Amino acid sequence: INYTDVQNFRLFVDGVMIGSAIQSLDANGYVTFDMTSNPVTLQTGSREIKVVADIVGGSNRNFTFSLRTAADATFIESQYNVNILPTVTAGAFTAQTTGYSSINEGTISIIKATDSPSANVVDLASNVTLAKYTLKAAGEKVKVDTLKVAVVCYDGGSTANGNVGYLRNGALYANGVQIGSTSNLYCTQYTTTYTTFNLGSSLVVDPLTPVTLEVKADIYDADGTDDIAVNVSGGLQTLKARIVASTGNGQGQTSLQTVDVPSTAVDGNSLTVATGGLSLSQYTAYTTQAVVPPLTAQKIAHFTLSANTTEAVNVNTIEVNLNAVASSYATNLYVKYGNNTTATKSSAAAENTWYVNYTLPASTTIDVEVFADISSTAAGTAYAGMYVAGTTANSATAVTAGTTNDYTSIQGQAITFTSGAFAESFAGAPGNQVVAGNQAVEAGKFKLTSSYQAYTVSEMRFSANSANAVILSASLKDGSTVLKTEPYNNALGYFNFTGLNIEVPASTTKTISLVYNLSIPSATAGTSGLDAKARLTYVKRSDSNGSVTEDSSLTYDANSTIVFRSVPVLTQTVLNTTNADFVNGNAIDLYKFTVAAPVQGDVSVKQFKLNITWVDGGTDDTGTIKVGSLKLLKDGIDITTSVTIQDENGYSAEGTGGVSESGSDTAIVVTWDGTTEDNITAGGLTTYTLKGTPAGFHIAGATDTIKDSFALTFAPDTSANGTKAYLNAGTSTTTIAKLHTSAASGSGSATDYNLIWSDESAVAHSASVGASSTGDWANSYLLGNNMGSQVWTK
């Protein structure tokens, strides 16, 4: 064979290619792989060295290929740097002997390409690719003289469509260049079942270079009837290109032997013939609306318009159809479609048409929106329907979406014309609170609610329950933003916020906060213990049309905000109540809590009360169940001598008798003696521990199913003490301190409370019970959130 018939030599060592490929033999018929600059190291053991080449010619001829001598392969022993002769064993041929191999005749294969078209084709489109194939030769170059091509036509499924004669302007393209002449492509249903393309010498396939072959034609029945209809019986028309089997239409260029191209028919993918189309639907994200007229450029309908995947559509007509309500009250009607806008019709009718020139690409969706001005007298519910028409870009087919002159066919959203409303209310926060002065506190949140229409609030007024003397100023806030800060208007009796611009969009709620900037209260000045409850009394607003309304008699109250100079924080410390700590005759910690004073000032404690609940389990008691020898510890130090510990009737509980179930004792009252009190400095913390010795409770081995127990509970006072701010003994149980409206002794209407404390805000503050008392004392209203019960069970 010719030495050029064997090319592209590659050398492999143990399956790995070494160095670069060598295109051809030299003039002496040798190929030499020179690896001096990049030698390969061979480790101990047998190795396979393989030579691979491409056979590109030499059909029906023989060739030999051998390593002429072992010395022609050069190996250097790396340790001693000397040449060695290898022991060579041939694979396909024996070294130093002649072997022969025969090269077969040339062959060619036609395979449907992976990217052969499979989508829809457009009716009446030109030069459409029906199928794509890959042609591969082997053994030698092969020339293809002719190819037979047909089209299989199906009428909506598997039924042959005998009405289609042939497709117009059939053509073959090899690597993008037309080969052969343009001819009509016959359908297989006719007697002449294919079209023969004479290719001359234009299609020669080299084994090294596959050829891409395309079959093209117009989607048009060239027999004059154009029977390639889109919608036919059984479904959509389908087409499938076929290269028909042939005999002897190819020839090997070296062997001159004939080849069948192809030996069996090769089909492309089945293609569906279709035309473009439009779909129109209501846009669901734009919902039914209730709006307040008059309105400018109000959106009265929103649709989406889509072209299918087959081809673009040239939209030429947009029609908006209105019901009686819409056509009666709408003016300046226009449509926005995609990024385009129609002309404006100054007056609306039941049917409104615009002629446009807009191309909607295939597989594209756009928004189509209808806008109009609505008169102030509008009432009822308006509907706008839509109809769109156009022509497909390639197949020139008329397409429509919706029904002309019918607003119900593709109907838009219901737009109801109504009147707006506005309401104010207390938002429920914060709850009732006792606060220290000399800080900013939120006094109340108030809701502004709009219905169907947007409003702008320009003025708001608030009263402070005649407690304005303790408020330096008030701020109005929207979230964290301070809208305005105003002092109290003494002449008018309210905080007046003017010049506001609070936007409340249609059918939404805006929450506004009122914040007090508090002064330092003084009982002497009558500003301590005041309830500065906020009340919204006035709102001035305007609607979206500029109409102004004043709500001038509002009475929306917030919760109580009671202000003292300083307010204590009470927190219970939960004790371990296991039986190991509860032994008759052994003193234990009964109840423990802390009192913390804020940074605003000192607080003092005059008296606290713990309620008692008893449970007598039965007959196994060792005696009367009781707790005696009561003591009070402050920060771990016994201060019992500074206080009086008694039951609710004024009997001492400091002796062994203490308090008992048989004595029906319901409370333990701890009172600081005479003119004394316990002071907690600003920012400080004091811990009180009540100790006692239990007696008479169940003993080990008791058989009663109900256990003996008692509980101590701090119960916060349920209402503010109001004007009763003086220490007074009253006329009954005079050893227990009470609060009254004056310091006079012996008042029968003095009130007993569960905690008596002071913010020490009076000049010459006094803890005396009676005539020398100052009016800066309070009860535990709203102070006991962190307090509870301590239960002991034996």
Side-chain angles (χ1 to χ4, degrees):
I1 66 173
N2 297 322
Y3 76 93
T4 56
D5 290 338
V6 186
Q7 300 177 4
N8 197 22
F9 295 90
R10 285 95 74 196
L11 182 68
F12 288 80
V13 176
D14 286 344
V16 178
M17 182 174 169
I18 305 300
S20 303
I22 297 175
Q23 182 59 37
S24 62
L25 299 165
D26 61 20
N28 297 315
Y30 291 96
V31 57
T32 302
F33 297 95
D34 185 356
M35 295 179 289
T36 338
S37 60
N38 188 21
V40 176
T41 299
L42 304 181
Q43 302 296 333
T44 300
S46 177
R47 294 290 177 267
E48 179 185 75
I49 300 175
K50 180 169 62 175
V51 178
V52 176
D54 294 340
I55 310 300
V56 298
S59 175
N60 282 338
R61 300 180 186 180
N62 300 327
F63 73 92
T64 64
F65 191 83
S66 63
L67 179 66
R68 304 305 298 177
T69 68
D72 284 340
T74 303
F75 296 84
I76 297 175
E77 207 285 339
S78 60
Q79 185 174 3
Y80 299 103
N81 196 32
V82 295
N83 289 348
I84 60 172
L85 290 177
T87 299
V88 179
T89 301
F93 314 109
T94 303
Q96 302 175 347
T97 64
T98 302
Y100 295 93
S101 180
S102 296
I103 300 175
N104 294 329
E105 297 176 358
T107 61
I108 191 167
S109 62
I110 300 180
I111 303 169
K112 182 179 68 174
T114 57
D115 60 344
S116 186
S118 58
N120 292 350
V121 292
V122 180
D123 189 25
L124 304 180
S126 301
N127 202 34
V128 175
T129 298
L130 302 178
K132 187 183 291 187
Y133 303 91
T134 300
L135 276 63
K136 294 183 178 180
E140 60 184 318
K141 293 181 181 179
V142 177
K143 183 181 74 170
V144 181
D145 296 321
T146 62
L147 282 175
K148 299 175 182 179
V149 182
V151 179
V152 182
C153 302
Y154 288 110
D155 187 354
S158 60
T159 303
N161 186 354
N163 294 323
V164 180
Y166 42 78
L167 300 186
R168 184 177 63 187
N169 295 330
L172 299 181
Y173 286 75
N175 293 334
V177 178
Q178 184 175 355
I179 56 176
S181 301
T182 300
S183 300
N184 293 327
L185 278 185
Y186 278 92
C187 290
T188 58
Q189 289 82 1
Y190 277 63
T191 303
T192 306
T193 57
Y194 52 80
T195 299
T196 301
F197 289 89
N198 295 308
L199 306 178
S201 298
S202 60
L203 183 56
V204 179
V205 184
D206 190 310
L208 299 180
T209 310
V211 172
T212 297
L213 181 72
E214 293 178 84
V215 178
K216 296 189 177 187
D218 298 345
I219 310 302
Y220 188 90
D221 186 357
D223 64 4
T225 59
D226 187 23
D227 291 319
I228 304 179
V230 175
N231 293 302
V232 291
S233 61
L236 297 176
Q237 175 77 59
T238 61
L239 305 172
K240 181 165 60 178
R242 172 176 292 169
I243 298 181
V244 180
S246 297
T247 302
N249 59 324
Q251 184 179 46
Q253 296 300 283
T254 300
S255 65
L256 301 180
Q257 298 296 313
T258 58
V259 180
D260 298 340
V261 185
S263 57
T264 57
V266 183
D267 286 345
N269 293 315
S270 181
L271 307 178
T272 301
V273 181
T275 60
L278 288 174
S279 60
L280 181 69
S281 61
Q282 184 189 109
Y283 180 54
T284 56
Y286 185 67
T287 58
T288 295
Q289 307 282 310
V291 296
V292 180
L295 298 161
T296 301
Q298 170 65 36
K299 181 159 66 174
I300 60 174
H302 191 160
F303 305 91
T304 56
L305 179 66
S306 303
N308 68 18
T309 60
T310 303
E311 59 179 321
V313 176
N314 297 319
V315 177
N316 53 44
T317 304
I318 296 177
E319 180 181 295
V320 174
N321 301 296
L322 304 177
N323 72 341
V325 172
S327 60
S328 298
Y329 298 111
T331 57
N332 296 325
L333 181 71
Y334 66 93
V335 178
K336 182 178 179 181
Y337 56 103
N339 295 321
N340 303 279
T341 303
T342 66
T344 300
K345 295 183 180 296
S346 58
S347 59
E351 181 181 0
N352 307 271
T353 304
W354 290 267
Y355 298 104
V356 299
N357 183 14
Y358 175 74
T359 299
L360 182 61
S363 303
T364 301
T365 298
I366 62 170
D367 292 313
V368 183
E369 301 163 278
V370 182
F371 296 88
D373 295 345
I374 305 299
S375 69
S376 59
T377 58
T381 300
Y383 289 97
M386 181 162 286
Y387 164 81
V388 178
T391 304
T392 56
N394 295 316
S395 59
T397 303
V399 291
T400 61
T403 304
T404 184
N405 197 22
D406 181 4
Y407 77 86
T408 64
S409 174
I410 306 294
Q411 184 172 286
Q413 295 76 11
I415 308 298
T416 301
F417 304 127
T418 185
S419 57
F422 189 86
E424 306 89 347
S425 63
F426 171 55
N432 291 322
Q433 57 185 341
V434 176
V435 299
N438 196 26
Q439 64 173 330
V441 298
E442 186 176 68
K445 291 180 180 289
F446 297 87
K447 290 196 297 186
L448 307 174
T449 303
S450 65
S451 299
Y452 306 119
Q453 191 172 21
Y455 292 88
T456 301
V457 174
S458 58
E459 187 172 348
M460 297 180 75
R461 295 175 189 165
F462 299 87
S463 65
N465 200 30
S466 301
N468 53 287
V470 77
I471 306 172
L472 296 174
S473 63
S475 298
L476 204 61
K477 297 177 69 175
D478 181 358
S480 60
T481 302
V482 177
L483 303 177
K484 206 162 189 184
T485 299
E486 293 288 348
Y488 186 77
N489 190 321
N490 288 293
L492 299 176
Y494 48 71
F495 294 99
N496 195 32
F497 297 93
T498 60
L500 302 174
N501 186 31
I502 302 173
E503 301 289 343
V504 186
S507 301
T508 63
T509 296
K510 171 75 73 172
T511 299
I512 299 297
S513 300
L514 181 69
V515 175
Y516 288 155
N517 303 302
L518 299 173
S519 64
I520 301 175
S522 167
T524 303
T527 56
S528 179
L530 294 180
D531 184 358
K533 178 184 293 186
R535 170 178 287 182
L536 176 61
T537 61
Y538 174 89
V539 173
K540 183 177 182 180
R541 54 186 164 83
S542 58
D543 62 24
S544 54
N545 299 311
S547 177
V548 177
T549 301
E550 296 181 69
D551 295 332
S552 56
S553 301
L554 304 178
T555 55
Y556 295 111
D557 287 338
N559 290 316
S560 291
T561 297
I562 303 173
V563 186
F564 294 92
R565 174 177 289 185
S566 186
V567 177
V569 176
L570 281 62
T571 305
Q572 180 191 7
T573 301
V574 178
L575 300 171
N576 184 350
T577 61
T578 63
N579 282 338
D581 296 324
F582 186 3
V583 178
N584 289 321
N586 287 356
I588 59 173
D589 293 344
L590 299 173
Y591 196 92
K592 190 174 184 178
F593 68 100
T594 60
V595 178
V599 296
Q600 282 89 347
D602 296 359
V603 297
S604 59
V605 178
K606 182 65 178 178
Q607 179 177 281
F608 65 86
K609 179 192 298 185
L610 298 175
N611 295 326
I612 307 174
T613 303
W614 304 93
V615 175
D616 187 348
T619 59
D620 282 338
D621 301 335
T622 58
T624 301
I625 59 174
K626 63 181 179 179
V627 180
S629 302
L630 296 176
K631 298 180 182 301
L632 182 68
L633 278 65
K634 174 181 177 180
D635 297 327
I637 299 174
D638 190 345
I639 62 168
T640 307
T641 57
S642 300
V643 298
T644 298
I645 304 176
Q646 51 195 319
D647 63 16
E648 75 281 0
N649 297 313
Y651 296 108
S652 175
E654 297 177 25
T656 57
V659 290
S660 67
E661 184 266 341
S662 62
S664 301
D665 294 320
T666 60
I668 298 172
V669 182
V670 179
T671 308
W672 271 260
D673 294 337
T675 63
T676 65
E677 61 191 333
D678 199 38
N679 175 263
I680 299 97
T681 58
L685 179 74
T686 291
T687 300
Y688 297 112
T689 305
L690 183 68
K691 294 182 72 72
T693 301
F697 290 85
H698 283 232
I699 61 173
T703 58
D704 290 343
T705 57
I706 301 175
K707 297 180 180 181
D708 289 347
S709 69
F710 71 98
L712 296 178
T713 305
F714 178 82
D717 295 301
T718 57
S719 62
N721 52 297
T723 58
K724 295 184 178 183
Y726 293 88
L727 293 174
N728 195 296
T731 56
S732 62
T733 321
T734 56
T735 56
I736 296 177
K738 305 172 185 63
L739 294 181
H740 191 49
T741 56
S742 69
S745 299
S747 172
S749 58
T751 303
D752 188 15
Y753 290 111
N754 293 333
L755 174 70
I756 297 178
W757 66 277
S758 175
D759 65 355
E760 301 184 18
S761 64
V763 175
H765 166 74
S766 172
S768 296
V769 177
S772 299
S773 172
T774 49
D776 53 358
W777 293 93
N779 67 11
S780 59
Y781 179 56
L782 302 177
L783 297 185
N785 293 335
N786 299 323
M787 301 286 280
S789 297
Q790 186 75 61
V791 181
W792 294 92
T793 301
K794 181 61 175 176

